Amino acid sequence: MTLKPKYLLLALFFAFPLAPTAFAQEEEGGDETQEEQEKEPAITDYIEMDPPFVTHVGDPGTKLTYLKAAVTIRASKETTRPAVEAHMPRLRHELVMLFGEQTDAEQLSSTEGQQSLREEATKRINTALEEQQTGESITGVLFTEFVVQK
């Protein structure tokens, strides 16, 4: 079954006027997303907290258990790094206190416990940055090294 040239030309005649509007709609949608991307650039800045944290965890009077955590802060704005670096002693203090409060070494060894600790560390850092009136916040805390030694 072959199409006769007359029908083929007729089909093209009706389809051709619709093609430019379809391309125009695609281009307009692309421009909107490009404009949105230009307004808020997607930046991820990783800020290392050196040296790593080493502290004991667990209840007093029990066998000593140590925690070693290398921490990297994730920020989504270029202006966050200077604020974090300016207040690094305070931020390190907050994490030292948080790690020292940990009493359940078994929980720290679990994925859920580590995730909970990351979330609490993010909260504490953001609270400290807010108290220092920096106008900045971080998007997360990453453990690049996490060891619990019993």
Side-chain angles (χ1 to χ4, degrees), residues 22-131:
F23 288 117
Q25 288 175 352
E26 285 180 16
E27 287 177 8
E28 287 175 10
D31 289 341
E32 288 175 15
T33 57
Q34 186 177 7
E35 287 175 8
E36 289 174 8
Q37 290 175 353
E38 288 174 4
K39 289 178 185 176
E40 282 194 38
I43 295 172
T44 301
D45 188 12
Y46 295 104
I47 307 162
E48 282 188 56
M49 297 182 86
D50 279 331
F53 296 87
V54 178
T55 187
H56 67 279
V57 295
D59 290 321
T62 61
K63 181 182 173 191
L64 285 179
T65 303
Y66 290 96
L67 167 67
K68 179 181 180 183
V71 177
T72 300
I73 296 172
R74 187 176 62 212
S76 61
K77 296 190 305 188
E78 291 177 1
T79 56
T80 305
R81 179 179 284 271
V84 166
E85 289 174 350
H87 298 287
M88 189 63 77
R90 167 78 190 276
L91 302 181
R92 287 188 63 82
H93 166 77
E94 293 296 330
L95 293 186
V96 165
M97 302 314 307
L98 173 64
F99 294 150
E101 293 169 5
Q102 304 307 305
T103 57
D104 189 357
E106 294 300 320
Q107 183 182 3
L108 287 176
S109 298
S110 72
T111 305
E112 295 84 17
Q114 291 173 13
Q115 178 64 29
S116 173
L117 190 60
R118 285 181 52 231
E119 290 169 3
E120 182 62 27
T122 301
K123 266 194 251 178
R124 290 208 185 179
I125 289 174
N126 281 331
T127 300
L129 290 172
E130 185 179 317
E131 287 174 2

